C-alpha cells in the first residue's frame, strides 16, 4: 500500500473535501432526524419551521434580515439548516440536536451583526432565527414589559406607545435592530444619557442554556444575568425574552439639526463641541454626523458636519440652553422643531412619517444606507486638537471615500454615574464620546470590496493617536473582527481572546470568562468573538 506521501496532492485534497462534505451531509440528516424525534408529539409542528437548501423558501428566509449584503454573496458560507422556532421546546430541541451532532449554533434576532456572525460561520452550522419570538406584553401600571428577543426595537416602541404615550424603552435609534442583539451588547440610543443603556434597564430574562434548561434571573443567578446584558450575543445561551423597565418621556421633544461645511467653520465647531456636548444636561442626546458633499459653487468635495441634538422638552428650553452653551453654532428659531418621541425616532432615521406603523416593518431598507459596508468604532477620552481633525478631513476627501461617514455620539450624563462594572459594558465615566466609522459600497462590488476595507483600516490607524489607549476601546455591538478573533475549532486561549476582549470589555473581560467557564465550560455557544472558557 502506498504511503499518503506518494499520492498526488490533488487526490488528497479532493478526497478530504469529499469526506468533509459527506460528514456534513450525514450530520445534517442525523440532525433533522434528531429534531423530529426529540419531542415526537411535536414532530409535525417543528417540521414546519425547518428550512434546508432543498426548501424553495430557504433563501428568502436566510436573506430576510441580512442587514449587511457583504455577507450575502455566492461565496458566503450558508447554514445547513435554518430553524424558526415557534415555542421554547423548538429551541431546546435545536440546541440538543446541534450539540449531539457537532453542529455550531448561530442565533439571529434582527440580523444587524456588523460582521454577520449571527448567520455566518466557517464550520457546519445551524441558524436559529427568532423571527417568530416577538411577542410584547406591556404593563403600564408597573411600567414594565416582557419582550421576546426576535422583536425589533420599532415594534417595542410602537406597542408601548399604543398603551401609553408618556412611556418608552431606552433602546436603539434604528427601528430594525433586534431586541436580542441590542441588549446583549449593552445597547445605547437616544435616551442613554438620561436613563443609561438598554441593558441597564433590564430586570429579568428567560434563557435556554447549553444543556437545554430554561432559566430566569433567579435560577441563573446574578453572574450570568450580568453577563447577558452587555457581554455580547452568542456566548452564554439563547435569550428568548427580556423583562424591561419602561421610562417616562414628555409629550414634546425638540430636535435641532444644523449642518456646517469646512467653509462654514466645521473644524472649529466640532473642536468646540467636544467640550460642550459631554457636559450638557442628561435630557440632551447630541451627535455629529460627518460625511462629504459637492459644493454648489465649484463642484469640489467638502466635509459636512451635521450637529444634531434631541431634547426631552420644548423648543424654547433647548434654544435657551444652546444659546448659553454653544452659541458658536449659529442657529435660527426655525432650526428647533417640536415633535413627539415617536416622531423624533422617525425624523432622525429619515423614515417616511405618514404613519408610525413603519416602525413595525422589520424588512424596511433605508435607501440612504449602503447595502454593503465595513464599520469600526472608537472611544475618546481627551478632546482631539484641530490639527487632528484636519488630518481626518484629508482622509475623508480621498476619492475612495465618497460613501464614508462618521457618527460622533456624545457621552456623559447618566453614563458618568454608572460604575464600569455594573454591566460588562465598561465605557462609562470619563468617556467624552464614541465614534462609529462606516464605509459602504454597492452590492455589485461585493466581489472585490477590498479597496474600501483598506481605506477604513487606514483611517483607523490614523485615529489611533487621538483615541482611548491601553486598551483602545471598541463597542461590542459595532462588531469588528479586525481587532482579533477566536479559532474556528473552539480551542481559543484566554490570552488570544483577551486581545479583542479587553477592547470591548476592559477589566470586565475576566469576569465574563469566569461566567462562561461556569455556565458553558464545553464552549458549545461560540463564534469568532465569543467569550471563551478559561481553560481553553
Amino acid at each position: 500500500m502506498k504511503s499518503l506521501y506518494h499520492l498526488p496532492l490533488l487526490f488528497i485534497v479532493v478526497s478530504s473535501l469529499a469526506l468533509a462534505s459527506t460528514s456534513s451531509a450525514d450530520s445534517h440528516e442525523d440532525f433533522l432526524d434528531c429534531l423530529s424525534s426529540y419531542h415526537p408529539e411535536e414532530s409535525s409542528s417543528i417540521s414546519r419551521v425547518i428550512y434546508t437548501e432543498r426548501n424553495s423558501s430557504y433563501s428568502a428566509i436566510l436573506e430576510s434580515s441580512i442587514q449587511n449584503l457583504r455577507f450575502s454573496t455566492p461565496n458566503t458560507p450558508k447554514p445547513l439548516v435554518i430553524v424558526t422556532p415557534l415555542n421554547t421546546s423548538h429551541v431546546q430541541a435545536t440546541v440538543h440536536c446541534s450539540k449531539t451532532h457537532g453542529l455550531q449554533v448561530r442565533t439571529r434576532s434582527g440580523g444587524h451583526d456588523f460582521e454577520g456572525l449571527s448567520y455566518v460561520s466557517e464550520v457546519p452550522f445551524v441558524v436559529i432565527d427568532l423571527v417568530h419570538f416577538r411577542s410584547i406584553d406591556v404593563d403600564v401600571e408597573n411600567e414594565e414589559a416582557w419582550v421576546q428577543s426576535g422583536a425589533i426595537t420599532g415594534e417595542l416602541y410602537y406597542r408601548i406607545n399604543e398603551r401609553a404615550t408618556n412611556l418608552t424603552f431606552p433602546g436603539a435609534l434604528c427601528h430594525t435592530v433586534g431586541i436580542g442583539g441590542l441588549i446583549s451588547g449593552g445597547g445605547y440610543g437616544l435616551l442613554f444619557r438620561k436613563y443609561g443603556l438598554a441593558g441597564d434597564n433590564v430586570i429579568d430574562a428567560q434563557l435556554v442554556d447549553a444543556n437545554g434548561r430554561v432559566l430566569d434571573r433567579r435560577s441563573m443567578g446574578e453572574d450570568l444575568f450580568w453577563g447577558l446584558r452587555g457581554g455580547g450575543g452568542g456566548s452564554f445561551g439563547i435569550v428568548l425574552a427580556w423583562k424591561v423597565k419602561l421610562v417616562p418621556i414628555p409629550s414634546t421633544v425638540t430636535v435641532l439639526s444644523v449642518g456646517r461645511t469646512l467653509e462654514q467653520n466645521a473644524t472649529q465647531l466640532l473642536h468646540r463641541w467636544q467640550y460642550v456636548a459631554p457636559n450638557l444636561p442628561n435630557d440632551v442626546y447630541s451627535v455629529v454626523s460627518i460625511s462629504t458633499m459637492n459644493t454648489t459653487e465649484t463642484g469640489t468635495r467638502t466635509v459636512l458636519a451635521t450637529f444634531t441634538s434631541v431634547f426631552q422638552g420644548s423648543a424654547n428650553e433647548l434654544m435657551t440652553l444652546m444659546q448659553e452653551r454653544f452659541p458658536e453654532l449659529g442657529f435660527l428659531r426655525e432650526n428647533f422643531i417640536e415633535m413627539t418621541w415617536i416622531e423624533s425616532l422617525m425624523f432622525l432615521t429619515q423614515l417616511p412619517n405618514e404613519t408610525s406603523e413603519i416602525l413595525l416593518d422589520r424588512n424596511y431598507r433605508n435607501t440612504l444606507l449602503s447595502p454593503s459596508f465595513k464599520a469600526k468604532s472608537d472611544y475618546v477620552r481627551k478632546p482631539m486638537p484641530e490639527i487632528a481633525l484636519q488630518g481626518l478631513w484629508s482622509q475623508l476627501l480621498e476619492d475612495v471615500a465618497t460613501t464614508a461617514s462618521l457618527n460622533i455620539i456624545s457621552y456623559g450624563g447618566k453614563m458618568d454615574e454608572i460604575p464600569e462594572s455594573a454591566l460588562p459594558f465598561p465605557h462609562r465615566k470619563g468617556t467624552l464620546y464614541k465614534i462609529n466609522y462606516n464605509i459602504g459600497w454597492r452590492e455589485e462590488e461585493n466581489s472585490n470590496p477590498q479597496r474600501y476595507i483598506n481605506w477604513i483600516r487606514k483611517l483607523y490607524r490614523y485615529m489611533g493617536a487621538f483615541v482611548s489607549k491601553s486598551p483602545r476601546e471598541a463597542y461590542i455591538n459595532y462588531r469588528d473582527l479586525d481587532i482579533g478573533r477566536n479559532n474556528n475549532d473552539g480551542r481559543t486561549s484566554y490570552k488570544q481572546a483577551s486581545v479583542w476582549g479587553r477592547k470591548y470589555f476592559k477589566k470586565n473581560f475576566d469576569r465574563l470568562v469566569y461566567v462562561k467557564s461556569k455556565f458553558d465550560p464545553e464552549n458549545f455557544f461560540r463564534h469568532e468573538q465569543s467569550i471563551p472558557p478559561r481553560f481553553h
Side-chain angles (χ1 to χ4, degrees):
M1 180 178 177
K2 287 186 177 181
S3 159
L4 280 177
Y5 294 108
H6 294 95
L7 290 175
L9 178 60
L10 179 62
F11 174 81
I12 297 173
V13 171
V14 171
S15 298
S16 299
L17 289 173
L19 286 171
S21 176
T22 303
S23 175
S24 293
D26 290 343
S27 296
H28 171 194
E29 296 301 329
D30 292 343
F31 172 80
L32 294 176
D33 290 341
C34 178
L35 285 181
S36 298
S37 61
Y38 185 77
H39 281 306
E41 68 279 6
E42 289 194 9
S43 61
S44 60
S45 73
I46 199 167
S47 66
R48 299 199 306 270
V49 297
I50 296 171
Y51 301 88
T52 70
E53 291 191 85
R54 293 194 294 263
N55 295 102
S56 59
S57 51
Y58 169 89
S59 293
I61 296 293
L62 177 60
E63 295 165 8
S64 62
S65 63
I66 293 180
Q67 304 293 340
N68 187 351
L69 296 186
R70 177 176 154 215
F71 304 107
S72 182
T73 72
N75 296 324
T76 303
K78 306 295 191 294
L80 295 175
V81 181
I82 304 170
V83 181
T84 58
L86 297 171
N87 55 50
T88 302
S89 67
H90 290 168
V91 177
Q92 291 172 302
T94 307
V95 168
H96 168 79
C97 295
S98 298
K99 195 173 184 180
T100 300
H101 296 287
L103 298 176
Q104 203 171 92
V105 165
R106 298 293 168 103
T107 306
R108 182 167 72 174
S109 54
H112 276 264
D113 189 292
F114 280 11
E115 296 282 10
L117 300 190
S118 61
Y119 52 87
V120 177
S121 175
E122 297 294 333
V123 300
F125 71 110
V126 173
V127 166
I128 297 179
D129 191 320
L130 296 174
V131 62
H132 299 310
F133 265 76
R134 47 202 267 218
S135 73
I136 298 167
D137 182 14
V138 178
D139 181 350
V140 173
E141 184 178 352
N142 291 308
E143 299 184 353
E144 298 170 349
W146 271 104
V147 52
Q148 289 187 317
S149 285
I152 56 174
T153 54
E155 289 175 305
L156 179 57
Y157 297 147
Y158 186 91
R159 298 305 175 200
I160 296 170
N161 191 64
E162 271 187 325
R163 301 287 309 281
T165 57
N166 64 332
L167 294 173
T168 193
F169 176 68
L173 177 57
C174 177
H175 83 281
T176 56
V177 170
I179 289 293
L182 172 74
I183 297 175
S184 295
Y188 85 99
L190 289 182
L191 295 172
F192 84 120
R193 294 186 74 254
K194 186 173 178 65
Y195 296 114
L197 305 172
D200 292 319
N201 292 275
V202 172
I203 49 184
D204 205 346
Q206 185 184 59
L207 169 89
V208 173
D209 73 2
N211 296 314
R213 298 178 300 172
V214 180
L215 307 174
D216 61 10
R217 178 175 183 173
R218 184 173 182 177
S219 56
M220 75 175 72
E222 290 303 304
D223 280 333
L224 183 52
F225 183 63
W226 173 85
L228 296 178
R229 296 170 296 142
S235 285
F236 303 109
I238 300 170
V239 181
L240 303 181
W242 311 82
K243 188 178 184 180
V244 300
K245 182 168 57 179
L246 305 184
V247 299
I249 48 172
S251 56
T252 299
V253 305
T254 301
V255 176
L256 167 67
S257 189
V258 176
R260 295 288 183 259
T261 64
L262 295 186
E263 296 74 20
Q264 297 168 319
N265 296 322
T267 306
Q268 294 75 20
L269 289 170
L270 180 55
H271 183 258
R272 176 64 184 146
W273 176 91
Q274 298 176 98
Y275 295 88
V276 172
N279 296 304
L280 289 171
N282 297 15
D283 282 320
V284 181
Y285 169 87
S286 183
V287 59
V288 184
S289 301
I290 309 291
S291 59
T292 59
M293 60 177 286
N294 291 326
T295 61
T296 54
E297 294 83 4
T298 64
T300 57
R301 283 175 62 220
T302 188
V303 172
L304 173 68
T306 303
F307 296 80
T308 301
S309 295
V310 181
F311 174 64
Q312 305 299 304
S314 71
N316 287 337
E317 291 174 286
L318 180 58
M319 187 165 65
T320 300
L321 176 67
M322 297 305 282
Q323 285 171 338
E324 292 174 358
R325 303 288 187 91
F326 200 17
E328 300 90 341
L329 185 58
F331 36 76
L332 303 172
R333 176 63 179 82
E334 51 262 36
N335 296 137
F336 297 81
I337 307 172
E338 292 186 344
M339 58 189 75
T340 66
W341 158 252
I342 288 288
E343 288 170 343
S344 74
L345 290 166
M346 298 166 64
F347 179 86
L348 290 177
T349 52
Q350 301 188 39
L351 292 175
N353 61 1
E354 292 82 11
T355 170
S356 61
E357 288 183 3
I358 188 82
L359 296 173
L360 302 175
D361 185 357
R362 65 191 298 120
N363 297 314
Y364 181 82
R365 292 285 195 265
N366 193 322
T367 56
L368 297 174
L369 302 176
S370 297
S372 302
F373 65 89
K374 170 65 180 174
K376 303 176 83 65
S377 64
D378 264 318
Y379 286 88
V380 177
R381 292 178 168 269
K382 293 180 180 179
M384 292 177 60
E386 285 189 24
I387 193 170
L389 296 175
Q390 290 163 359
L392 174 58
W393 306 151
S394 66
Q395 306 251 352
L396 284 167
L397 291 170
E398 293 177 8
D399 290 342
V400 70
T402 55
T403 56
S405 64
L406 276 67
N407 283 303
I408 306 175
I409 301 105
S410 171
Y411 270 52
K414 181 72 171 179
M415 295 296 285
D416 276 350
E417 302 168 18
I418 301 173
E420 282 192 4
S421 59
L423 295 184
F425 181 102
H427 319 290
R428 306 281 191 170
K429 188 173 183 179
T431 299
L432 297 180
Y433 53 86
K434 172 176 63 185
I435 306 176
N436 167 223
Y437 313 94
N438 188 294
I439 187 164
W441 55 90
R442 296 186 302 275
E443 185 178 358
E444 55 266 30
E445 295 181 279
N446 272 337
S447 59
N448 187 25
Q450 201 57 47
R451 69 191 190 108
Y452 300 104
I453 294 173
N454 289 343
W455 177 86
I456 199 170
R457 288 172 176 167
K458 180 169 69 76
L459 174 67
Y460 186 74
R461 288 194 298 272
Y462 167 78
M463 290 294 291
F466 312 110
V467 299
S468 59
K469 298 174 179 64
S470 300
R472 182 176 182 176
E473 299 171 43
Y475 178 36
I476 184 66
N477 272 357
Y478 292 165
R479 182 91 64 188
D480 180 9
L481 291 180
D482 288 351
I483 67 174
R485 59 194 298 158
N486 297 339
N487 300 326
N488 287 333
D489 62 4
R491 306 291 297 182
T492 299
S493 69
Y494 167 85
K495 182 179 180 181
Q496 180 180 341
S498 65
V499 171
W500 58 263
R502 297 282 181 194
K503 293 180 172 74
Y504 288 138
F505 308 114
K506 299 172 70 174
K507 293 180 180 179
N508 293 335
F509 181 67
D510 286 341
R511 186 178 175 189
L512 287 168
V513 171
Y514 165 79
V515 173
K516 177 71 171 182
S517 305
K518 182 177 179 181
F519 290 96
D520 185 18
E522 297 177 5
N523 204 20
F524 171 68
F525 290 109
R526 66 180 187 272
H527 55 67
E528 287 82 347
Q529 282 188 345
S530 58
I531 305 298
R534 181 73 202 214
F535 58 84
H536 277 250

